[in-house]
Amino acid sequence: MAFARRLAILPGGLGGLGSSIGQKLRSEGATLAILHAPFESARRDELLASGYSNDDTNIHTYECDITDPSSVRSAFSSLEKEQLGAGLFPSILINTAGYVSLSDLHLTPPSETIKHLNTNVLGPMLCSQAFANLYFAASDAASASASLSAENKNENGVPPGRIVTLASKAAHVALHRHGAYCASKAAVLGLTRCMASEWGPKGITANTVSPTVAWTDLGRKAWGEERVKEELLRSIPTGKAALPEEVADAVVFLCRDSSGMINGADIRVDGGYTIR
């Protein structure tokens, strides 16, 4: 299996696109370390069961406020002790956690702008930094080890590192009442290019996936009313919203060993919305 003995870390991996991506990775052998927000703790079991079909095999969860450096350090320290000790290699990070609220730009409260930037930019940066340092340390420790199977090695002797962050069509175009969200998702593209440039030589590629509206439970709730749905679909050349598995397929593609020359790129899973 493509990701056997590899650890995939998913901030925001409970529910929605996060669980769709997690399911795809796990189906190809990855063990999942899901970081969930403190406000999700009371519903952790419920979200885990619904997102992963009551099968928590090879899934481990950690409470983590991705906007708090100490919380991120604590979560990564815990998963390092528990998962790397079990012989797994920290190969994949998928930044799926995000935040959005709508308001007219001239009325957007500073607190909402800060919440967008903290969750959508600072969070992925803190998690990516923690992952990179974990990967570098594991690479140094494993570089001389003969325990990794030949098919799971890259030319440097260790599995490649992969960071994929969910951006959005909002990173590319102006959306009314989404000013803070558009700004935060555009920032994710710049952050990812810097990670790709600095960490590419050290074995980690970094890319983004930019979906249009994805037909998750949240997407259906926000866009499911017939008039709203029809207006949305008219704006997308393919005439449909993105299915969660379509977004997940793009993310998993970027995680493959064979995708190592894709670095600092963005895949738009938007049906052509942003070409108009």
Side-chain angles (χ1 to χ4, degrees), residues 8-32:
I9 304 168
L10 286 81
L14 286 184
L17 290 177
S19 60
S20 296
I21 295 165
Q23 288 182 55
K24 292 271 187 182
L25 289 168
R26 194 173 59 144
S27 72
E28 299 200 28
T31 295
L32 308 184

Side-chain angles (χ1 to χ4, degrees), residues 69-115:
S70 63
S71 183
V72 172
R73 284 194 299 270
S74 176
F76 272 80
S77 176
S78 295
L79 68 85
E80 179 181 9
K81 292 175 184 176
E82 295 174 15
Q83 306 310 321
L84 274 59
L88 298 172
F89 193 91
S91 181
I92 297 167
L93 174 71
I94 313 295
N95 290 306
T96 71
Y99 175 77
V100 61
S101 68
L102 308 185
S103 62
D104 293 333
L105 187 56
H106 68 293
L107 298 175
T108 300
S111 59
E112 279 301 296
T113 299
I114 291 170
K115 190 168 184 178

Side-chain angles (χ1 to χ4, degrees), residues 209-262:
V209 171
S210 289
T212 183
V213 172
W215 221 236
T216 59
D217 289 342
L218 185 61
R220 283 190 291 270
K221 182 178 180 180
W223 301 88
E225 194 274 321
E226 198 59 32
R227 182 187 60 80
V228 175
K229 180 181 177 182
E230 288 179 0
E231 183 177 350
L232 168 68
L233 298 186
R234 280 196 300 269
S235 68
I236 301 174
T238 58
K240 70 182 194 71
L243 298 177
E245 54 266 33
E246 292 173 324
V247 179
D249 281 341
V251 171
V252 173
F253 165 73
L254 291 170
C255 294
R256 298 192 183 282
D257 289 7
S258 57
S259 298
M261 285 301 290
I262 304 174

